[in-house]
């Protein structure tokens, strides 16, 4: 387990670097290089103390030893020059192992500030080399800051999901284990820990589990012989195309006891060099996105595709030994999209007897880096060939909330899902599958015949599709797919390098971002007749329902109020005489979250027309549809009117030029919050604890977090104001809540000359915020120091005038709050109307 002191050192090292090295990946690289540098010096010292000789810092490299860096006779810039020279040349040192040379390959110092380097190296100097789990887990904690690698579609797999997959696969001490897209080697480390834990005698085992079901300790491995342990360390292998990820994987494995880790810089999809190497266990979270221009794979794949996710799954299936097992995270495109390569892959996995289970994961497990929806494919030929069905599991709670903070919560489905999978495997292996009753199992368990999957040559692996079919007979109205009641099409974009296709255009032309208008009554751009004729764009008639297909607006639904052309990022749905366009519009709006969940893509969401065609809706008679639409539209008119009032209201303070102007720091004091480690936070109240106030708690009133009552100078009350000092909400002001401030907010305490409501309305006004935003520090994200806010000047009329102004605004606010309540009530009425359509 990671101890707090080690965690503190890592946090301190990052805090020192953040001003000069804002990118988290670069911070990790700098800390990694410095740690290995320090550890080599530790090993040299240990060797000398035991009567031996230094191995690494000898000859011409002796001048680079860690102790030389700290020579007090060196000035700041001399120290910087020596360290920068050392890390760029250590990979050339023939006296150090190839592993360390690989780590220092292409290393450099990205800043030239002696004070920053001195503080940074002082923190690194507190670490001491050993091969304990503590140090390995410390490095894993450091790697946790790597959430996403952006354009490559690589998202770091959450630790509890890795542990869950390892518990399903259960790697053994004598098996070869591979991750062909290893990133920071998370799957390999977790597999190693599992094997050690399973080979630890009871007296040394500590199988304490966290609330999400992952193991928190992995024992001593005392049941392994010396020979078995030696062989075990050779059983793990990883590939990655990124030299940076290879470096981090090497360090991660080394710090967990792997003296010669087998991590290779290797392009799994285009190189044939390791094609003939197979593994008993393969676990991976491959990149979800293909590079621009696609991939040019070699010819040995069974699948003919240039999609990276398709090729990785094919590679994993083909590189299992005959008794091998695999678990791989895939985007939803592989699960249900109708494109040829996706369907061909699903058919291959089912018909050739690789796939035995699909675990659907929540859409937010990669938050805050991506909301992409994923599933886990489970492969084991020895199981798949013994059954005619596929197991489907649905995880709705993975033990963490789906907000940006991903805080641990109770009620994880992972332990139940693991039990279901184990029960199923046991039933298949023992020939007692008839005793396995999916309807009696948790986690939405389904058992679907392979023959049913193969109907229409579809091989759709979305469990929800089969769950819906099963329930059709219970609905009040028949359920139809959109493709049964409408035709779909999309448009195109005239070449942008032909300005004559746009200048003086008379044809309204819509893009996906405009679909969110709802009732679409205007277009931002117009194209000419020639632009229409020389592109795939087409004119769509009024009363056509539109769905945005790509990007941030994917899944949004609108209905055209006029004839207009559309681009390729919009799907137009033209209904036949069985469904009214306005009824489709109202019903499809309720499916927006489902459409987003079913979208694919890494950097942006991506819906296909096939997803929309397969969306199912109830089909009442036309007369009933008209009644439903009329009722909803009546409620919507009231909502629109109230919302217009809410949106247009802004509290106004008319400033009298005779009022004195004062600096905020003359009438207010400011207190910065404190960062409290997550392991010291709990999600329930108990004696001696107080509420922990953080940004999302202020904005959304999320489930409360509590911390020990030991920060009296960081406490606030509802008589204080709180201002956010970092992130996209920097500068926003809220009324206080009783509790302890987090480090991303500070409180503003006023003196007796200021009315709190007057101060709040002034600080939260657009005029003040727009002025304040000029002072935001732009680094990795906007940041605001309380010294800046203290220097701002505000008008300060007599206290009675302040109170009168606040009272007037409060009266207006009550009217606005009434409008908000009306909106809420009538939105609920609309929901109730639509819910009745779905009733049994």
């Amino acid at each position: 387990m990671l101890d707090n002191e080690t965690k503190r050192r890592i946090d301190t090292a990052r805090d020192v670097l953040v001003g000069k090295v804002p990118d988290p990946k670069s911070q990790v690289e700098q800390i990694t290089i410095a740690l290995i540098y320090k550890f080599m010096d530790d090993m040299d010292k240990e060797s000398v103390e035991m009567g031996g000789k230094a191995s690494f810092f000898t000859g011409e490299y002796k001048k680079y030893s860690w102790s030389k860096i700290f020579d007090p006779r060196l000035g700041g810039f001399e120290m910087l020059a020596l360290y920068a020279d050392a890390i760029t040349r250590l990979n050339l040192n023939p006296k150090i192992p190839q592993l360390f040379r690989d780590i220092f390959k292409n290393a450099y110092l990205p800043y030239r500030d002696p004070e920053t380097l001195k503080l940074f190296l002082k923190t690194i100097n507190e670490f001491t080399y050993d091969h304990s789990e503590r140090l390995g887990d410390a490095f894993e904690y450091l790697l946790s800051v790597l959430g996403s690698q952006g354009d490559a579609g690589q998202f770091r797999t959450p630790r509890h999901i890795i542990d869950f997959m390892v518990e399903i696969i259960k790697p053994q001490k004598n098996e070869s284990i591979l991750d062909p897209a290893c990133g920071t080697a998370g799957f390999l480390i977790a597999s190693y820990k599992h094997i050690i834990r399973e080979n630890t005698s009871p007296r040394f085992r500590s199988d304490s589990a966290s609330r999400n079901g992952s193991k928190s300790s992995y024992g001593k491995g005392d049941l392994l012989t010396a020979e078995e342990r030696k062989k075990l360390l050779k059983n793990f292998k990883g590939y990655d195309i990124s030299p940076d990820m290879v470096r981090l994987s090497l360090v991660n494995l080394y710090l967990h006891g792997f003296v010669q880790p087998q991590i290779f810089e290797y392009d799994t999809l285009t190189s044939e060099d390791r094609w003939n190497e197979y593994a008993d266990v393969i676990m991976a979270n491959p990149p979800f996105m293909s590079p621009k221009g696609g991939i040019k794979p070699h010819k040995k794949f069974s699948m003919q595709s240039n999609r990276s996710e398709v090729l990785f799954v094919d590679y994993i299936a083909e590189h299992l030994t005959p008794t091998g097992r695999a678990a791989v995270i895939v985007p939803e495109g592989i699960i249900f999209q109708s494109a040829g390569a996706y369907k061909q892959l699903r058919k291959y996995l089912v018909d050739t007897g690789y796939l035995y289970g699909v675990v659907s994961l929540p859409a937010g497990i990669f938050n805050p880096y991506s909301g992409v929806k994923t599933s886990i494919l489970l492969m084991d030929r020895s199981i798949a060939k013994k059954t005619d069905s596929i197991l489907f599991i649905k995880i709705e709670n993975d033990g963490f909330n789906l907000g940006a903070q991903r805080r641990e919560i109770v009620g994880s489905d992972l332990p139940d899902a693991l039990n279901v999978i184990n029960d199923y495997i046991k039933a298949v292996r023992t020939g007692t599958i008839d005793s396995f009753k999916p309807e009696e199992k948790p986690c939405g368990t389904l058992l679907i015949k392979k023959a049913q999957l193969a109907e229409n040559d579809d091989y759709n692996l979305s469990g929800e599709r089969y769950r819906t079919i099963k329930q059709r007979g219970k609905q009040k109205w028949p359920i139809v797919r959109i493709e049964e009641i409408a035709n779909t099409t999309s448009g195109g974009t005239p070449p942008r390098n032909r300005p004559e296709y746009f200048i003086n255009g008379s044809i309204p032309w819509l893009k996906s971002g405009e679909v969110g208008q709802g009732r679409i009554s205007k277009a931002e751009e117009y194209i000419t007749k020639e632009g229409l004729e020389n592109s795939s764009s087409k004119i769509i008639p009024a009363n056509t329902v539109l769905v945005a297909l790509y990007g941030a607006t994917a899944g949004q639904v609108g209905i055209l109020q006029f004839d207009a052309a559309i681009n390729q990022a919009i799907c137009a749905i033209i209904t036949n005489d069985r469904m009214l366009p306005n009824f489709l519009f109202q019903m499809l709006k309720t499916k927006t979250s489902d459409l987003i969940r079913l979208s694919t893509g890494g950097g942006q969401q991506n819906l296909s027309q096939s997803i929309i065609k397969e969306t199912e809706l109830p089909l009442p008679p036309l007369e009933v549809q008209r009644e439903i639409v009329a009722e909803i539209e009546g409620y919507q008119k009231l909502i629109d009117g109230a919302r217009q009032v809410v949106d247009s209201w802004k509290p106004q303070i008319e400033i009298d030029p005779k009022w004195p102007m004062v600096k905020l720091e003359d009438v207010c004091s400011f207190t910065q919050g404190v960062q409290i480690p997550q392991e010291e936070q709990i999600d329930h109240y108990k004696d001696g604890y107080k509420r922990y106030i953080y940004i999302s708690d202020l904005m959304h009133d999320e489930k409360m977090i509590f911390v020990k009552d030991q920060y009296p100078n960081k406490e606030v009350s509802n008589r204080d104001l709180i201002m956010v000092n970092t992130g996209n909400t920097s500068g926003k002001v809220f009324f206080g809540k009783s509790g302890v401030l987090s480090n991303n907010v500070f409180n503003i305490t006023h003196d007796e000359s200021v009315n709190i409501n007057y101060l709040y309305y002034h600080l939260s006004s657009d005029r003040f915020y727009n002025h304040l935003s000029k002072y935001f520090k732009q680094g990795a994200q906007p940041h605001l120091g309380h010294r800046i806010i203290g220097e701002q000047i505000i008008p300060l009329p007599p206290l009675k005038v302040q109170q009168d102004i606040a009272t007037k605004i409060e009266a207006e606010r009550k009217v606005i709050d009434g409008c908000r309540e009306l909106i809420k009530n009538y939105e609920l009425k609309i929901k109730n109307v639509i819910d009745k359509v779905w009733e049994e």
Side-chain angles (χ1 to χ4, degrees), residues 23-49:
D23 175 42
K25 180 169 171 288
S26 297
Q27 295 167 16
V28 171
E29 289 174 351
Q30 290 302 310
I31 295 171
T32 299
I33 290 166
L35 282 174
I36 295 301
Y37 191 160
K38 168 68 163 58
F39 294 162
M40 286 195 301
D41 195 71
D42 286 348
M43 287 185 272
D44 267 358
K45 288 179 179 177
E46 183 179 280
S47 177
V48 171
E49 288 172 1

mmCIF file of all heavy atoms in Angstrom, residues 23-49:
data_model
loop_
_atom_site.group_PDB
_atom_site.id
_atom_site.type_symbol
_atom_site.label_atom_id
_atom_site.label_comp_id
_atom_site.label_asym_id
_atom_site.label_seq_id
_atom_site.Cartn_x
_atom_site.Cartn_y
_atom_site.Cartn_z
ATOM 1 N N ASP A 23 2.631 20.117 -18.520
ATOM 2 C CA ASP A 23 2.082 18.874 -19.071
ATOM 3 C C ASP A 23 2.320 17.704 -18.111
ATOM 4 O O ASP A 23 3.473 17.410 -17.761
ATOM 5 C CB ASP A 23 2.746 18.567 -20.415
ATOM 6 C CG ASP A 23 2.298 17.236 -20.981
ATOM 7 O OD1 ASP A 23 1.101 16.943 -20.897
ATOM 8 O OD2 ASP A 23 3.151 16.480 -21.489
ATOM 9 N N PRO A 24 1.261 17.004 -17.644
ATOM 10 C CA PRO A 24 1.433 15.900 -16.687
ATOM 11 C C PRO A 24 2.376 14.809 -17.187
ATOM 12 O O PRO A 24 3.164 14.261 -16.414
ATOM 13 C CB PRO A 24 0.007 15.354 -16.506
ATOM 14 C CG PRO A 24 -0.873 16.509 -16.824
ATOM 15 C CD PRO A 24 -0.163 17.270 -17.908
ATOM 16 N N LYS A 25 2.306 14.501 -18.488
ATOM 17 C CA LYS A 25 3.173 13.456 -19.031
ATOM 18 C C LYS A 25 4.647 13.845 -18.902
ATOM 19 O O LYS A 25 5.496 13.019 -18.531
ATOM 20 C CB LYS A 25 2.818 13.207 -20.487
ATOM 21 C CG LYS A 25 3.656 12.130 -21.169
ATOM 22 C CD LYS A 25 3.028 11.789 -22.514
ATOM 23 C CE LYS A 25 3.944 10.896 -23.308
ATOM 24 N NZ LYS A 25 5.119 11.605 -23.817
ATOM 25 N N SER A 26 4.966 15.105 -19.164
ATOM 26 C CA SER A 26 6.345 15.572 -19.035
ATOM 27 C C SER A 26 6.789 15.576 -17.576
ATOM 28 O O SER A 26 7.946 15.287 -17.263
ATOM 29 C CB SER A 26 6.482 16.973 -19.630
ATOM 30 O OG SER A 26 6.205 16.972 -21.006
ATOM 31 N N GLN A 27 5.861 15.903 -16.660
ATOM 32 C CA GLN A 27 6.186 15.842 -15.230
ATOM 33 C C GLN A 27 6.573 14.417 -14.838
ATOM 34 O O GLN A 27 7.574 14.187 -14.138
ATOM 35 C CB GLN A 27 4.983 16.294 -14.398
ATOM 36 C CG GLN A 27 4.592 17.746 -14.579
ATOM 37 C CD GLN A 27 3.233 18.037 -13.985
ATOM 38 O OE1 GLN A 27 2.692 17.265 -13.195
ATOM 39 N NE2 GLN A 27 2.647 19.165 -14.362
ATOM 40 N N VAL A 28 5.777 13.452 -15.285
ATOM 41 C CA VAL A 28 6.061 12.048 -14.965
ATOM 42 C C VAL A 28 7.421 11.641 -15.515
ATOM 43 O O VAL A 28 8.206 10.961 -14.845
ATOM 44 C CB VAL A 28 4.945 11.139 -15.522
ATOM 45 C CG1 VAL A 28 5.336 9.662 -15.386
ATOM 46 C CG2 VAL A 28 3.638 11.397 -14.795
ATOM 47 N N GLU A 29 7.726 12.054 -16.732
ATOM 48 C CA GLU A 29 9.013 11.709 -17.344
ATOM 49 C C GLU A 29 10.172 12.300 -16.546
ATOM 50 O O GLU A 29 11.180 11.619 -16.294
ATOM 51 C CB GLU A 29 9.054 12.199 -18.784
ATOM 52 C CG GLU A 29 8.141 11.418 -19.717
ATOM 53 C CD GLU A 29 8.101 12.020 -21.110
ATOM 54 O OE1 GLU A 29 8.643 13.131 -21.293
ATOM 55 O OE2 GLU A 29 7.527 11.374 -22.002
ATOM 56 N N GLN A 30 10.057 13.562 -16.131
ATOM 57 C CA GLN A 30 11.139 14.191 -15.379
ATOM 58 C C GLN A 30 11.344 13.513 -14.019
ATOM 59 O O GLN A 30 12.480 13.305 -13.582
ATOM 60 C CB GLN A 30 10.848 15.683 -15.187
ATOM 61 C CG GLN A 30 10.937 16.504 -16.462
ATOM 62 C CD GLN A 30 12.303 16.403 -17.129
ATOM 63 O OE1 GLN A 30 13.332 16.589 -16.480
ATOM 64 N NE2 GLN A 30 12.312 16.087 -18.405
ATOM 65 N N ILE A 31 10.252 13.160 -13.350
ATOM 66 C CA ILE A 31 10.367 12.475 -12.057
ATOM 67 C C ILE A 31 10.958 11.081 -12.247
ATOM 68 O O ILE A 31 11.801 10.627 -11.459
ATOM 69 C CB ILE A 31 8.997 12.412 -11.358
ATOM 70 C CG1 ILE A 31 8.528 13.823 -11.003
ATOM 71 C CG2 ILE A 31 9.045 11.548 -10.100
ATOM 72 C CD1 ILE A 31 7.107 13.908 -10.498
ATOM 73 N N THR A 32 10.536 10.395 -13.299
ATOM 74 C CA THR A 32 11.047 9.056 -13.593
ATOM 75 C C THR A 32 12.559 9.083 -13.802
ATOM 76 O O THR A 32 13.307 8.283 -13.222
ATOM 77 C CB THR A 32 10.357 8.497 -14.853
ATOM 78 O OG1 THR A 32 8.958 8.397 -14.615
ATOM 79 C CG2 THR A 32 10.906 7.126 -15.206
ATOM 80 N N ILE A 33 13.006 9.981 -14.639
ATOM 81 C CA ILE A 33 14.444 10.086 -14.941
ATOM 82 C C ILE A 33 15.236 10.392 -13.673
ATOM 83 O O ILE A 33 16.281 9.778 -13.406
ATOM 84 C CB ILE A 33 14.670 11.175 -16.011
ATOM 85 C CG1 ILE A 33 14.119 10.700 -17.356
ATOM 86 C CG2 ILE A 33 16.140 11.538 -16.130
ATOM 87 C CD1 ILE A 33 13.982 11.807 -18.374
ATOM 88 N N ALA A 34 14.743 11.344 -12.879
ATOM 89 C CA ALA A 34 15.457 11.730 -11.661
ATOM 90 C C ALA A 34 15.504 10.586 -10.652
ATOM 91 O O ALA A 34 16.530 10.369 -9.982
ATOM 92 C CB ALA A 34 14.797 12.961 -11.042
ATOM 93 N N LEU A 35 14.405 9.837 -10.513
ATOM 94 C CA LEU A 35 14.379 8.720 -9.566
ATOM 95 C C LEU A 35 15.401 7.648 -9.948
ATOM 96 O O LEU A 35 16.151 7.157 -9.101
ATOM 97 C CB LEU A 35 12.975 8.103 -9.522
ATOM 98 C CG LEU A 35 11.907 8.844 -8.715
ATOM 99 C CD1 LEU A 35 10.546 8.176 -8.902
ATOM 100 C CD2 LEU A 35 12.272 8.877 -7.234
ATOM 101 N N ILE A 36 15.419 7.280 -11.214
ATOM 102 C CA ILE A 36 16.372 6.248 -11.649
ATOM 103 C C ILE A 36 17.805 6.744 -11.479
ATOM 104 O O ILE A 36 18.709 6.004 -11.067
ATOM 105 C CB ILE A 36 16.091 5.843 -13.100
ATOM 106 C CG1 ILE A 36 14.713 5.178 -13.193
ATOM 107 C CG2 ILE A 36 17.160 4.890 -13.611
ATOM 108 C CD1 ILE A 36 14.555 3.941 -12.324
ATOM 109 N N TYR A 37 18.036 8.011 -11.801
ATOM 110 C CA TYR A 37 19.347 8.624 -11.598
ATOM 111 C C TYR A 37 19.771 8.476 -10.127
ATOM 112 O O TYR A 37 20.867 7.993 -9.820
ATOM 113 C CB TYR A 37 19.233 10.093 -11.991
ATOM 114 C CG TYR A 37 20.528 10.873 -12.112
ATOM 115 C CD1 TYR A 37 20.558 12.061 -12.846
ATOM 116 C CD2 TYR A 37 21.715 10.468 -11.508
ATOM 117 C CE1 TYR A 37 21.720 12.809 -12.968
ATOM 118 C CE2 TYR A 37 22.879 11.199 -11.624
ATOM 119 C CZ TYR A 37 22.876 12.370 -12.349
ATOM 120 O OH TYR A 37 24.026 13.097 -12.467
ATOM 121 N N LYS A 38 18.870 8.866 -9.221
ATOM 122 C CA LYS A 38 19.149 8.761 -7.790
ATOM 123 C C LYS A 38 19.374 7.313 -7.370
ATOM 124 O O LYS A 38 20.286 6.999 -6.590
ATOM 125 C CB LYS A 38 17.968 9.364 -7.014
ATOM 126 C CG LYS A 38 17.964 9.091 -5.497
ATOM 127 C CD LYS A 38 19.079 9.798 -4.762
ATOM 128 C CE LYS A 38 18.841 9.872 -3.266
ATOM 129 N NZ LYS A 38 18.673 8.576 -2.611
ATOM 130 N N PHE A 39 18.560 6.386 -7.874
ATOM 131 C CA PHE A 39 18.654 4.989 -7.460
ATOM 132 C C PHE A 39 19.959 4.346 -7.925
ATOM 133 O O PHE A 39 20.523 3.497 -7.236
ATOM 134 C CB PHE A 39 17.462 4.195 -7.995
ATOM 135 C CG PHE A 39 16.142 4.615 -7.393
ATOM 136 C CD1 PHE A 39 14.947 4.291 -8.005
ATOM 137 C CD2 PHE A 39 16.100 5.346 -6.211
ATOM 138 C CE1 PHE A 39 13.734 4.679 -7.450
ATOM 139 C CE2 PHE A 39 14.894 5.742 -5.652
ATOM 140 C CZ PHE A 39 13.705 5.403 -6.281
ATOM 141 N N MET A 40 20.461 4.728 -9.092
ATOM 142 C CA MET A 40 21.752 4.200 -9.538
ATOM 143 C C MET A 40 22.859 4.632 -8.580
ATOM 144 O O MET A 40 23.759 3.849 -8.249
ATOM 145 C CB MET A 40 22.058 4.674 -10.960
ATOM 146 C CG MET A 40 21.242 3.986 -12.034
ATOM 147 S SD MET A 40 21.907 4.230 -13.697
ATOM 148 C CE MET A 40 21.869 6.003 -13.850
ATOM 149 N N ASP A 41 22.782 5.873 -8.137
ATOM 150 C CA ASP A 41 23.773 6.353 -7.173
ATOM 151 C C ASP A 41 23.643 5.611 -5.847
ATOM 152 O O ASP A 41 24.650 5.266 -5.212
ATOM 153 C CB ASP A 41 23.587 7.855 -6.961
ATOM 154 C CG ASP A 41 24.781 8.497 -6.275
ATOM 155 O OD1 ASP A 41 25.833 8.616 -6.925
ATOM 156 O OD2 ASP A 41 24.659 8.854 -5.088
ATOM 157 N N ASP A 42 22.387 5.331 -5.411
ATOM 158 C CA ASP A 42 22.165 4.546 -4.185
ATOM 159 C C ASP A 42 22.819 3.172 -4.291
ATOM 160 O O ASP A 42 23.436 2.676 -3.339
ATOM 161 C CB ASP A 42 20.664 4.373 -3.917
ATOM 162 C CG ASP A 42 20.008 5.653 -3.413
ATOM 163 O OD1 ASP A 42 20.744 6.596 -3.057
ATOM 164 O OD2 ASP A 42 18.771 5.702 -3.384
ATOM 165 N N MET A 43 22.664 2.539 -5.462
ATOM 166 C CA MET A 43 23.222 1.194 -5.648
ATOM 167 C C MET A 43 24.752 1.230 -5.643
ATOM 168 O O MET A 43 25.399 0.326 -5.109
ATOM 169 C CB MET A 43 22.679 0.581 -6.934
ATOM 170 C CG MET A 43 21.221 0.145 -6.832
ATOM 171 S SD MET A 43 20.594 -0.704 -8.299
ATOM 172 C CE MET A 43 20.041 0.685 -9.266
ATOM 173 N N ASP A 44 25.302 2.276 -6.229
ATOM 174 C CA ASP A 44 26.767 2.420 -6.194
ATOM 175 C C ASP A 44 27.260 2.563 -4.752
ATOM 176 O O ASP A 44 28.240 1.928 -4.338
ATOM 177 C CB ASP A 44 27.197 3.650 -7.010
ATOM 178 C CG ASP A 44 27.540 3.283 -8.444
ATOM 179 O OD1 ASP A 44 27.472 2.085 -8.779
ATOM 180 O OD2 ASP A 44 27.860 4.201 -9.229
ATOM 181 N N LYS A 45 26.570 3.401 -3.964
ATOM 182 C CA LYS A 45 26.968 3.603 -2.574
ATOM 183 C C LYS A 45 26.848 2.320 -1.762
ATOM 184 O O LYS A 45 27.713 1.992 -0.940
ATOM 185 C CB LYS A 45 26.109 4.695 -1.937
ATOM 186 C CG LYS A 45 26.424 6.106 -2.429
ATOM 187 C CD LYS A 45 25.509 7.125 -1.769
ATOM 188 C CE LYS A 45 25.825 8.538 -2.245
ATOM 189 N NZ LYS A 45 24.900 9.537 -1.665
ATOM 190 N N GLU A 46 25.756 1.573 -2.005
ATOM 191 C CA GLU A 46 25.555 0.319 -1.287
ATOM 192 C C GLU A 46 26.667 -0.668 -1.613
ATOM 193 O O GLU A 46 27.178 -1.376 -0.734
ATOM 194 C CB GLU A 46 24.195 -0.279 -1.675
ATOM 195 C CG GLU A 46 23.838 -1.553 -0.939
ATOM 196 C CD GLU A 46 22.484 -2.082 -1.354
ATOM 197 O OE1 GLU A 46 21.466 -1.577 -0.874
ATOM 198 O OE2 GLU A 46 22.473 -3.002 -2.200
ATOM 199 N N SER A 47 27.078 -0.705 -2.872
ATOM 200 C CA SER A 47 28.148 -1.614 -3.288
ATOM 201 C C SER A 47 29.466 -1.249 -2.603
ATOM 202 O O SER A 47 30.189 -2.117 -2.112
ATOM 203 C CB SER A 47 28.307 -1.564 -4.812
ATOM 204 O OG SER A 47 29.370 -2.378 -5.236
ATOM 205 N N VAL A 48 29.771 0.046 -2.538
ATOM 206 C CA VAL A 48 31.009 0.502 -1.889
ATOM 207 C C VAL A 48 30.982 0.183 -0.397
ATOM 208 O O VAL A 48 31.982 -0.284 0.184
ATOM 209 C CB VAL A 48 31.213 2.013 -2.127
ATOM 210 C CG1 VAL A 48 32.366 2.546 -1.281
ATOM 211 C CG2 VAL A 48 31.463 2.291 -3.610
ATOM 212 N N GLU A 49 29.836 0.416 0.245
ATOM 213 C CA GLU A 49 29.709 0.147 1.684
ATOM 214 C C GLU A 49 29.911 -1.336 2.001
ATOM 215 O O GLU A 49 30.345 -1.690 3.101
ATOM 216 C CB GLU A 49 28.336 0.613 2.171
ATOM 217 C CG GLU A 49 28.195 2.139 2.226
ATOM 218 C CD GLU A 49 26.770 2.562 2.520
ATOM 219 O OE1 GLU A 49 25.915 1.656 2.696
ATOM 220 O OE2 GLU A 49 26.505 3.786 2.562
#
